Coordinates of all heavy atoms in Angstrom, one line a residue:
M26 N 23.3 6.4 -33.5 CA 22.5 6.9 -32.4 C 22.1 5.7 -31.5 O 21.5 6.0 -30.5 CB 21.3 7.6 -33.0 CG 21.6 9.0 -33.5 SD 22.5 10.0 -32.4 CE 21.2 11.0 -31.7
A27 N 22.2 4.5 -32.0 CA 21.8 3.3 -31.2 C 22.7 3.3 -29.9 O 22.2 2.9 -28.9 CB 22.0 2.1 -32.0
W28 N 23.9 3.7 -30.0 CA 24.8 3.7 -28.8 C 24.3 4.7 -27.7 O 24.4 4.4 -26.5 CB 26.2 4.0 -29.1 CG 26.4 5.4 -29.7 CD1 26.4 5.7 -31.1 CD2 26.7 6.6 -29.0 NE1 26.6 7.0 -31.2 CE2 26.8 7.6 -30.0 CE3 26.9 6.9 -27.7 CZ2 27.0 8.9 -29.7 CZ3 27.1 8.2 -27.4 CH2 27.2 9.2 -28.3
F29 N 23.7 5.8 -28.2 CA 23.1 6.8 -27.3 C 21.9 6.3 -26.6 O 21.7 6.5 -25.4 CB 22.8 8.1 -28.1 CG 22.3 9.2 -27.1 CD1 23.1 9.8 -26.3 CD2 20.9 9.5 -27.2 CE1 22.6 10.8 -25.4 CE2 20.4 10.5 -26.3 CZ 21.3 11.1 -25.5
D30 N 21.1 5.5 -27.4 CA 19.9 4.9 -26.8 C 20.2 3.9 -25.7 O 19.6 3.9 -24.6 CB 19.0 4.3 -27.8 CG 18.4 5.2 -28.8 OD1 18.4 6.4 -28.5 OD2 18.1 4.8 -29.9
G31 N 21.2 3.1 -26.0 CA 21.7 2.1 -25.0 C 22.3 2.8 -23.8 O 22.1 2.4 -22.6
L32 N 23.0 3.9 -24.0 CA 23.6 4.6 -22.9 C 22.5 5.3 -22.0 O 22.6 5.2 -20.8 CB 24.5 5.7 -23.4 CG 25.4 6.5 -22.4 CD1 26.3 5.5 -21.7 CD2 26.1 7.6 -23.1
L33 N 21.5 5.8 -22.6 CA 20.4 6.4 -21.9 C 19.6 5.4 -21.1 O 19.2 5.6 -19.9 CB 19.4 7.1 -22.9 CG 18.2 7.9 -22.3 CD1 18.7 9.0 -21.4 CD2 17.4 8.4 -23.4
L34 N 19.3 4.2 -21.7 CA 18.6 3.1 -21.0 C 19.5 2.6 -19.8 O 18.9 2.3 -18.7 CB 18.3 2.0 -21.9 CG 17.1 2.3 -22.9 CD1 16.9 1.2 -23.9 CD2 15.9 2.7 -22.2
D35 N 20.8 2.5 -20.0 CA 21.6 2.1 -18.9 C 21.6 3.1 -17.7 O 21.6 2.8 -16.6 CB 23.1 1.9 -19.3 CG 23.3 0.6 -20.1 OD1 22.4 -0.3 -20.0 OD2 24.3 0.4 -20.8
A36 N 21.6 4.4 -18.1 CA 21.6 5.5 -17.1 C 20.2 5.4 -16.3 O 20.2 5.6 -15.1 CB 21.7 6.8 -17.7
L37 N 19.1 5.2 -17.0 CA 17.8 5.0 -16.4 C 17.8 3.8 -15.4 O 17.4 3.9 -14.3 CB 16.7 4.9 -17.4 CG 16.3 6.1 -18.1 CD1 15.3 5.8 -19.2 CD2 15.6 7.1 -17.1
K38 N 18.4 2.7 -15.9 CA 18.4 1.5 -15.1 C 19.2 1.7 -13.8 O 18.7 1.3 -12.7 CB 19.0 0.3 -15.9 CG 19.1 -1.0 -15.1 CD 19.7 -2.1 -15.9 CE 19.9 -3.3 -15.0 NZ 20.3 -4.5 -15.6
Y39 N 20.4 2.2 -13.9 CA 21.2 2.4 -12.7 C 20.7 3.5 -11.9 O 21.0 3.5 -10.7 CB 22.7 2.6 -13.2 CG 23.3 1.3 -13.7 CD1 23.7 1.2 -15.0 CD2 23.3 0.1 -13.0 CE1 24.2 0.0 -15.6 CE2 23.8 -1.1 -13.5 CZ 24.2 -1.1 -14.8 OH 24.7 -2.3 -15.3
G40 N 20.0 4.5 -12.4 CA 19.4 5.5 -11.6 C 18.3 5.0 -10.7 O 18.2 5.3 -9.5
V41 N 17.5 4.1 -11.3 CA 16.4 3.5 -10.5 C 17.0 2.5 -9.5 O 16.6 2.4 -8.3 CB 15.4 2.8 -11.4 CG1 14.5 1.9 -10.6 CG2 14.6 3.8 -12.2
L42 N 18.1 1.8 -9.8 CA 18.8 1.0 -8.9 C 19.3 1.8 -7.7 O 19.2 1.4 -6.6 CB 19.9 0.2 -9.6 CG 20.7 -0.7 -8.7 CD1 19.9 -1.8 -8.1 CD2 21.9 -1.3 -9.5
A43 N 19.9 2.9 -8.0 CA 20.4 3.8 -6.9 C 19.3 4.3 -6.0 O 19.4 4.3 -4.8 CB 21.2 4.9 -7.5
L44 N 18.2 4.7 -6.6 CA 17.0 5.1 -5.8 C 16.5 4.0 -4.9 O 16.2 4.3 -3.8 CB 15.9 5.6 -6.8 CG 16.0 7.0 -7.3 CD1 14.8 7.3 -8.2 CD2 16.0 8.0 -6.1
S45 N 16.4 2.8 -5.5 CA 15.8 1.7 -4.7 C 16.8 1.3 -3.6 O 16.4 1.0 -2.5 CB 15.5 0.5 -5.6 OG 16.6 0.1 -6.3
L46 N 18.1 1.4 -3.8 CA 19.1 1.1 -2.8 C 19.0 2.1 -1.7 O 19.2 1.8 -0.5 CB 20.5 0.9 -3.3 CG 20.7 -0.4 -4.1 CD1 22.1 -0.3 -4.8 CD2 20.5 -1.6 -3.3
W47 N 18.9 3.4 -2.1 CA 18.8 4.5 -1.1 C 17.5 4.3 -0.2 O 17.6 4.4 1.0 CB 18.7 5.8 -1.8 CG 18.5 7.0 -1.0 CD1 18.8 7.2 0.3 CD2 17.9 8.3 -1.4 NE1 18.4 8.4 0.8 CE2 17.9 9.1 -0.3 CE3 17.5 8.7 -2.6 CZ2 17.5 10.4 -0.4 CZ3 17.0 10.0 -2.7 CH2 17.0 10.9 -1.6
A48 N 16.4 3.9 -0.9 CA 15.2 3.7 -0.1 C 15.3 2.5 0.8 O 14.8 2.5 2.0 CB 14.0 3.4 -1.1
L49 N 16.0 1.4 0.4 CA 16.2 0.3 1.2 C 17.1 0.6 2.4 O 16.7 0.2 3.6 CB 16.9 -0.9 0.4 CG 17.2 -2.1 1.2 CD1 16.0 -2.8 1.8 CD2 18.0 -3.1 0.3
V50 N 18.2 1.3 2.2 CA 19.1 1.6 3.3 C 18.3 2.6 4.3 O 18.4 2.4 5.5 CB 20.4 2.3 2.8 CG1 21.2 2.9 3.9 CG2 21.2 1.2 2.1
D51 N 17.5 3.5 3.8 CA 16.8 4.4 4.6 C 15.7 3.7 5.5 O 15.6 3.9 6.6 CB 16.1 5.5 3.8 CG 15.6 6.6 4.7 OD1 16.3 7.4 5.2 OD2 14.3 6.6 4.9
A52 N 15.1 2.7 4.9 CA 14.1 1.9 5.6 C 14.7 1.1 6.7 O 14.1 0.9 7.7 CB 13.3 1.0 4.6
I53 N 15.9 0.6 6.4 CA 16.6 -0.2 7.4 C 17.0 0.6 8.6 O 16.9 0.2 9.8 CB 17.8 -0.9 6.8 CG1 17.3 -2.0 5.8 CG2 18.7 -1.5 7.9 CD1 18.4 -2.6 5.0
T54 N 17.4 1.9 8.4 CA 18.0 2.7 9.5 C 16.9 3.4 10.3 O 17.2 3.9 11.4 CB 18.9 3.8 8.9 OG1 18.2 4.6 7.9 CG2 20.1 3.1 8.2
R55 N 15.7 3.5 9.9 CA 14.6 4.1 10.6 C 14.1 3.2 11.7 O 14.0 2.0 11.5 CB 13.4 4.5 9.7 CG 13.8 5.5 8.6 CD 14.2 6.8 9.1 NE 14.7 7.7 8.0 CZ 15.4 8.8 8.2 NH1 15.5 9.3 9.4 NH2 15.8 9.4 7.2
P56 N 13.7 3.7 12.9 CA 13.1 2.9 13.9 C 11.7 2.3 13.5 O 10.9 3.0 12.9 CB 13.0 3.8 15.1 CG 13.0 5.1 14.6 CD 13.8 5.1 13.3
A57 N 11.4 1.1 14.0 CA 10.1 0.5 13.6 C 9.0 1.3 14.2 O 7.9 1.3 13.6 CB 10.1 -1.0 14.1
S58 N 9.1 1.9 15.4 CA 8.0 2.6 16.0 C 7.6 3.8 15.2 O 6.4 4.2 15.3 CB 8.4 3.0 17.4 OG 9.5 3.8 17.4
A59 N 8.5 4.4 14.4 CA 8.2 5.6 13.7 C 7.2 5.2 12.5 O 6.4 6.0 12.2 CB 9.4 6.2 13.1
F60 N 7.3 4.0 11.9 CA 6.4 3.6 10.9 C 5.0 3.5 11.4 O 4.1 3.9 10.7 CB 6.9 2.3 10.3 CG 8.1 2.4 9.4 CD1 9.4 2.3 10.0 CD2 8.1 2.7 8.1 CE1 10.5 2.4 9.2 CE2 9.2 2.8 7.3 CZ 10.4 2.6 7.9
V61 N 4.9 2.9 12.6 CA 3.6 2.7 13.2 C 3.0 4.1 13.6 O 1.8 4.3 13.3 CB 3.7 1.8 14.4 CG1 2.3 1.6 15.1 CG2 4.2 0.4 14.0
A62 N 3.8 4.9 14.1 CA 3.3 6.3 14.5 C 2.9 7.1 13.4 O 2.0 8.0 13.5 CB 4.4 7.0 15.4
A63 N 3.5 6.9 12.2 CA 3.2 7.7 11.0 C 2.0 7.1 10.3 O 1.6 7.6 9.2 CB 4.4 7.8 10.1
S64 N 1.4 6.0 10.8 CA 0.3 5.3 10.1 C 0.7 4.8 8.7 O -0.1 4.9 7.8 CB -0.9 6.2 10.1 OG -1.4 6.5 11.4
K65 N 1.9 4.3 8.6 CA 2.3 3.7 7.3 C 2.4 2.2 7.6 O 2.2 1.7 8.7 CB 3.7 4.2 6.9 CG 3.7 5.7 6.8 CD 2.8 6.2 5.6 CE 2.8 7.7 5.5 NZ 1.9 8.2 4.5
L66 N 2.7 1.4 6.5 CA 3.0 0.0 6.7 C 4.2 -0.2 7.7 O 5.0 0.7 7.9 CB 3.4 -0.6 5.3 CG 2.3 -0.8 4.3 CD1 2.9 -1.4 3.0 CD2 1.2 -1.8 4.8
N67 N 4.2 -1.4 8.3 CA 5.3 -1.6 9.3 C 6.7 -1.7 8.6 O 6.8 -1.8 7.4 CB 5.0 -2.8 10.1 CG 4.9 -4.0 9.3 OD1 5.1 -4.1 8.1 ND2 4.4 -5.1 9.9
K68 N 7.7 -1.6 9.4 CA 9.1 -1.6 8.9 C 9.4 -2.8 8.1 O 10.0 -2.7 7.0 CB 10.0 -1.4 10.1 CG 11.5 -1.3 9.7 CD 12.4 -1.1 10.9 CE 13.8 -1.0 10.4 NZ 14.7 -0.5 11.5
P69 N 9.1 -4.0 8.5 CA 9.5 -5.2 7.7 C 8.8 -5.2 6.3 O 9.4 -5.6 5.3 CB 9.0 -6.4 8.5 CG 9.0 -5.9 9.9 CD 8.7 -4.5 9.8
A70 N 7.6 -4.7 6.2 CA 6.9 -4.6 5.0 C 7.7 -3.6 4.0 O 7.9 -3.9 2.8 CB 5.5 -4.1 5.1
W71 N 8.1 -2.5 4.5 CA 8.8 -1.5 3.6 C 10.2 -2.0 3.3 O 10.7 -1.7 2.2 CB 8.8 -0.1 4.3 CG 7.6 0.6 4.0 CD1 6.6 1.0 4.9 CD2 7.1 1.1 2.7 NE1 5.6 1.6 4.3 CE2 5.8 1.7 2.9 CE3 7.6 1.0 1.4 CZ2 5.1 2.2 1.9 CZ3 6.8 1.5 0.4 CH2 5.6 2.1 0.6
I72 N 10.8 -2.7 4.2 CA 12.1 -3.3 3.9 C 11.9 -4.3 2.8 O 12.7 -4.4 1.8 CB 12.8 -3.9 5.1 CG1 13.2 -2.8 6.1 CG2 14.0 -4.8 4.7 CD1 13.8 -3.3 7.4
G73 N 10.9 -5.2 2.9 CA 10.6 -6.1 1.8 C 10.3 -5.5 0.5 O 10.8 -5.9 -0.6
I74 N 9.5 -4.5 0.5 CA 9.1 -3.8 -0.7 C 10.3 -3.1 -1.4 O 10.5 -3.3 -2.6 CB 8.0 -2.7 -0.5 CG1 6.7 -3.4 -0.1 CG2 7.8 -1.8 -1.7 CD1 5.6 -2.5 0.5
T75 N 11.1 -2.4 -0.6 CA 12.3 -1.8 -1.2 C 13.4 -2.8 -1.6 O 14.1 -2.5 -2.6 CB 12.8 -0.7 -0.2 OG1 13.1 -1.3 1.0 CG2 11.9 0.4 -0.1
A76 N 13.5 -3.9 -0.9 CA 14.5 -4.9 -1.3 C 14.0 -5.6 -2.6 O 14.9 -5.8 -3.5 CB 14.6 -6.0 -0.2
L77 N 12.8 -5.9 -2.8 CA 12.3 -6.4 -4.0 C 12.5 -5.4 -5.2 O 12.8 -5.7 -6.3 CB 10.8 -6.8 -3.9 CG 10.5 -8.1 -3.3 CD1 9.0 -8.3 -3.2 CD2 11.1 -9.2 -4.2
A78 N 12.3 -4.1 -4.8 CA 12.5 -3.0 -5.8 C 13.9 -3.0 -6.3 O 14.2 -2.9 -7.5 CB 12.1 -1.7 -5.3
A79 N 14.9 -3.2 -5.3 CA 16.3 -3.2 -5.7 C 16.6 -4.4 -6.5 O 17.4 -4.3 -7.5 CB 17.1 -3.2 -4.4
V80 N 16.1 -5.6 -6.2 CA 16.3 -6.8 -7.0 C 15.8 -6.6 -8.4 O 16.4 -7.0 -9.4 CB 15.7 -8.0 -6.3 CG1 15.7 -9.2 -7.2 CG2 16.5 -8.3 -5.0
F81 N 14.5 -6.1 -8.5 CA 13.9 -6.0 -9.8 C 14.7 -4.9 -10.6 O 14.9 -5.1 -11.8 CB 12.5 -5.6 -9.7 CG 11.6 -6.7 -9.3 CD1 10.4 -6.4 -8.7 CD2 11.9 -8.0 -9.5 CE1 9.5 -7.4 -8.3 CE2 11.1 -9.0 -9.1 CZ 9.9 -8.7 -8.5
A82 N 15.1 -3.9 -10.0 CA 15.9 -2.8 -10.7 C 17.2 -3.4 -11.2 O 17.7 -3.0 -12.3 CB 16.1 -1.6 -9.8
Y83 N 17.8 -4.3 -10.5 CA 19.1 -4.9 -10.9 C 18.9 -5.9 -12.0 O 19.7 -6.0 -12.9 CB 19.8 -5.5 -9.7 CG 21.1 -6.1 -10.0 CD1 22.2 -5.3 -10.3 CD2 21.3 -7.5 -10.0 CE1 23.4 -5.9 -10.6 CE2 22.5 -8.1 -10.3 CZ 23.6 -7.3 -10.6 OH 24.8 -7.8 -10.9
L84 N 17.9 -6.8 -11.8 CA 17.8 -7.9 -12.7 C 17.1 -7.6 -14.1 O 17.3 -8.3 -15.1 CB 17.0 -9.0 -12.0 CG 17.8 -9.7 -10.9 CD1 16.9 -10.8 -10.3 CD2 19.1 -10.3 -11.3
T85 N 16.2 -6.6 -14.1 CA 15.4 -6.3 -15.3 C 16.0 -5.1 -16.1 O 16.7 -4.3 -15.5 CB 14.0 -6.1 -15.0 OG1 13.9 -4.9 -14.2 CG2 13.3 -7.3 -14.3
G86 N 15.7 -5.1 -17.3 CA 16.2 -4.0 -18.1 C 15.3 -2.8 -18.0 O 14.1 -2.9 -17.5
A87 N 15.7 -1.6 -18.4 CA 15.0 -0.4 -18.3 C 13.7 -0.5 -19.1 O 13.7 -1.1 -20.2 CB 15.8 0.8 -18.7
L88 N 12.7 0.1 -18.6 CA 11.4 0.2 -19.3 C 10.6 -1.1 -19.4 O 9.8 -1.3 -20.3 CB 11.5 0.9 -20.7 CG 12.1 2.3 -20.7 CD1 12.2 2.9 -22.1 CD2 11.3 3.2 -19.8
Q89 N 10.9 -2.0 -18.6 CA 10.1 -3.3 -18.5 C 9.2 -3.2 -17.3 O 9.3 -2.3 -16.5 CB 11.0 -4.5 -18.3 CG 11.9 -4.8 -19.6 CD 12.7 -6.0 -19.4 OE1 12.8 -6.6 -18.3 NE2 13.4 -6.4 -20.5
L90 N 8.2 -4.1 -17.2 CA 7.2 -4.0 -16.2 C 7.7 -4.0 -14.8 O 7.4 -3.1 -14.0 CB 6.2 -5.1 -16.4 CG 5.0 -5.1 -15.3 CD1 4.2 -3.9 -15.5 CD2 4.2 -6.4 -15.5
F91 N 8.6 -5.0 -14.5 CA 9.1 -5.0 -13.1 C 10.0 -3.9 -12.8 O 10.2 -3.5 -11.7 CB 9.8 -6.4 -12.8 CG 8.8 -7.5 -12.8 CD1 8.8 -8.5 -13.7 CD2 7.8 -7.5 -11.7 CE1 7.9 -9.6 -13.6 CE2 6.9 -8.6 -11.6 CZ 6.9 -9.6 -12.6
W92 N 10.7 -3.4 -13.8 CA 11.6 -2.2 -13.6 C 10.7 -1.0 -13.2 O 11.1 -0.2 -12.4 CB 12.4 -2.0 -14.8 CG 13.3 -0.8 -14.7 CD1 14.6 -0.7 -14.2 CD2 13.0 0.5 -15.2 NE1 15.1 0.5 -14.3 CE2 14.1 1.3 -14.9 CE3 11.9 1.1 -15.8 CZ2 14.2 2.7 -15.2 CZ3 12.0 2.5 -16.1 CH2 13.1 3.2 -15.8
L93 N 9.6 -0.9 -13.9 CA 8.7 0.3 -13.6 C 8.1 0.1 -12.2 O 8.0 1.1 -11.5 CB 7.6 0.4 -14.7 CG 8.1 0.8 -16.1 CD1 6.9 0.7 -17.1 CD2 8.6 2.2 -16.0
L94 N 7.8 -1.1 -11.8 CA 7.3 -1.3 -10.5 C 8.3 -1.0 -9.4 O 8.0 -0.4 -8.4 CB 6.8 -2.7 -10.3 CG 5.5 -3.1 -11.1 CD1 5.3 -4.6 -11.0 CD2 4.3 -2.3 -10.7
A95 N 9.6 -1.3 -9.7 CA 10.6 -1.0 -8.8 C 10.8 0.5 -8.7 O 11.0 1.1 -7.6 CB 11.9 -1.6 -9.3
A96 N 10.7 1.2 -9.8 CA 10.8 2.7 -9.8 C 9.7 3.3 -9.0 O 9.9 4.2 -8.1 CB 10.8 3.2 -11.2
V97 N 8.5 2.8 -9.2 CA 7.3 3.3 -8.4 C 7.4 3.1 -6.9 O 7.2 4.0 -6.1 CB 6.0 2.8 -9.0 CG1 4.8 3.1 -8.1 CG2 5.7 3.3 -10.4
A98 N 7.9 1.9 -6.6 CA 8.0 1.5 -5.1 C 9.0 2.4 -4.5 O 8.8 2.9 -3.4 CB 8.4 0.1 -5.0
A99 N 10.2 2.6 -5.1 CA 11.2 3.5 -4.5 C 10.8 4.9 -4.4 O 11.0 5.6 -3.4 CB 12.5 3.4 -5.4
V100 N 10.1 5.4 -5.4 CA 9.6 6.8 -5.4 C 8.5 7.0 -4.3 O 8.5 8.0 -3.6 CB 9.2 7.3 -6.8 CG1 8.4 8.6 -6.7 CG2 10.3 7.4 -7.7
V101 N 7.6 6.0 -4.2 CA 6.6 6.1 -3.2 C 7.2 6.1 -1.8 O 6.8 7.0 -0.9 CB 5.6 5.0 -3.3 CG1 4.7 4.8 -2.0 CG2 4.7 5.2 -4.5
Y102 N 8.2 5.3 -1.5 CA 8.9 5.3 -0.2 C 9.6 6.6 0.0 O 9.4 7.3 1.1 CB 9.9 4.2 -0.1 CG 10.6 4.2 1.3 CD1 10.0 3.7 2.4 CD2 11.8 4.9 1.4 CE1 10.6 3.8 3.6 CE2 12.4 5.0 2.6 CZ 11.8 4.5 3.7 OH 12.4 4.6 5.0
L103 N 10.3 7.1 -0.9 CA 11.1 8.3 -0.7 C 10.3 9.6 -0.7 O 10.7 10.5 0.0 CB 12.2 8.5 -1.8 CG 13.3 7.4 -1.8 CD1 14.2 7.5 -3.0 CD2 14.1 7.5 -0.5
V104 N 9.1 9.6 -1.3 CA 8.3 10.8 -1.4 C 7.2 10.8 -0.3 O 6.9 11.9 0.3 CB 7.7 11.0 -2.8 CG1 6.7 12.1 -2.8 CG2 8.8 11.2 -3.8
D105 N 6.7 9.7 0.0 CA 5.6 9.6 1.0 C 6.0 9.1 2.4 O 5.7 9.8 3.4 CB 4.5 8.8 0.4 CG 3.3 8.7 1.3 OD1 2.9 9.8 1.9 OD2 2.7 7.6 1.5
V106 N 6.6 8.0 2.4 CA 6.9 7.4 3.7 C 8.1 8.0 4.4 O 8.0 8.3 5.6 CB 7.1 5.9 3.5 CG1 7.5 5.2 4.8 CG2 5.9 5.2 2.9
R107 N 9.1 8.2 3.7 CA 10.4 8.8 4.3 C 10.1 10.1 5.0 O 10.5 10.3 6.2 CB 11.5 8.9 3.3 CG 12.8 9.4 3.9 CD 13.9 9.4 2.8 NE 15.1 9.8 3.4 CZ 15.7 11.0 3.3 NH1 15.1 11.9 2.6 NH2 16.8 11.3 3.8
P108 N 9.5 11.1 4.4 CA 9.2 12.4 5.1 C 8.4 12.2 6.4 O 8.6 12.9 7.4 CB 8.5 13.3 4.1 CG 8.9 12.7 2.8 CD 9.1 11.2 3.0
A109 N 7.4 11.3 6.3 CA 6.5 11.1 7.5 C 7.3 10.5 8.6 O 7.2 10.9 9.8 CB 5.3 10.3 7.1
V110 N 8.1 9.5 8.3 CA 8.8 8.8 9.3 C 9.9 9.7 9.9 O 10.2 9.7 11.1 CB 9.4 7.4 8.8 CG1 10.3 6.8 9.8 CG2 8.2 6.5 8.5
R111 N 10.6 10.4 9.0 CA 11.7 11.3 9.4 C 11.2 12.4 10.2 O 11.8 12.8 11.2 CB 12.3 11.8 8.1 CG 13.6 12.5 8.4 CD 14.2 12.9 7.0 NE 15.1 14.0 7.2 CZ 15.6 14.7 6.2 NH1 15.3 14.4 5.0 NH2 16.4 15.7 6.4
G112 N 10.0 13.0 9.9 CA 9.5 14.1 10.7 C 9.1 13.6 12.1 O 9.3 14.4 13.1
L113 N 8.6 12.4 12.3 CA 8.3 11.9 13.6 C 9.5 11.6 14.4 O 9.5 11.7 15.6 CB 7.4 10.6 13.5 CG 6.0 10.9 13.0 CD1 5.3 9.6 12.8 CD2 5.2 11.7 14.1
Q114 N 10.5 11.1 13.7 CA 11.8 10.8 14.4 C 12.5 12.0 15.0 O 13.0 12.0 16.1 CB 12.7 10.1 13.4 CG 14.0 9.5 14.1 CD 14.8 8.7 13.1 OE1 14.5 8.6 11.9 NE2 15.9 8.2 13.6
R115 N 12.4 13.1 14.3 CA 13.0 14.4 14.8 C 12.1 15.1 15.7 O 12.5 16.1 16.3 CB 13.4 15.3 13.6 CG 14.5 14.7 12.8 CD 15.0 15.7 11.8 NE 16.1 15.2 11.1 CZ 16.8 15.9 10.2 NH1 16.5 17.1 10.0 NH2 17.9 15.3 9.6
G116 N 10.8 14.8 15.7 CA 9.9 15.4 16.6 C 9.3 16.7 16.2 O 8.8 17.5 17.0
G117 N 9.3 17.0 14.9 CA 8.7 18.2 14.4 C 8.2 18.1 13.0 O 8.3 17.0 12.4
N118 N 7.6 19.2 12.5 CA 7.1 19.2 11.1 C 8.1 19.8 10.1 O 7.7 20.1 9.0 CB 5.7 19.9 11.1 CG 4.7 19.1 11.8 OD1 4.8 17.9 11.8 ND2 3.7 19.8 12.3
N119 N 9.3 20.1 10.5 CA 10.2 20.7 9.7 C 10.7 19.7 8.6 O 11.3 18.7 9.0 CB 11.4 21.2 10.5 CG 12.4 22.1 9.7 OD1 12.1 22.3 8.5 ND2 13.4 22.5 10.3
P120 N 10.5 20.0 7.3 CA 11.0 19.0 6.3 C 12.5 18.9 6.1 O 13.0 18.1 5.5 CB 10.3 19.5 5.0 CG 10.1 21.0 5.3 CD 9.8 21.1 6.7
W121 N 13.2 19.8 6.7 CA 14.7 19.8 6.5 C 15.3 19.2 7.7 O 16.3 18.8 8.0 CB 15.2 21.3 6.4 CG 14.6 21.9 5.2 CD1 13.6 22.8 5.1 CD2 15.0 21.7 3.8 NE1 13.3 23.1 3.9 CE2 14.2 22.5 3.0 CE3 16.0 20.9 3.2 CZ2 14.3 22.6 1.7 CZ3 16.1 21.0 1.9 CH2 15.3 21.8 1.1

């Protein structure tokens, strides 16, 4: 069963890495004015946060402190910041 535990931890690690890379690419592609209009941190700050999250997710093992911080940073961007910036960019409140 040790092989299953290792496989599960690898899946968690690469899942958080994929989430943080998705957040980073999304932060890069959004216009800087949308971050200010949504009353969020500015674009360079979110690019830095998500880039650090991607680096920590890549370099650390699953369930370590920096890996958990990377997971939280990516989830906060994708759940809170992305919908606000995306809604302003499209000009409506439609979440789709």
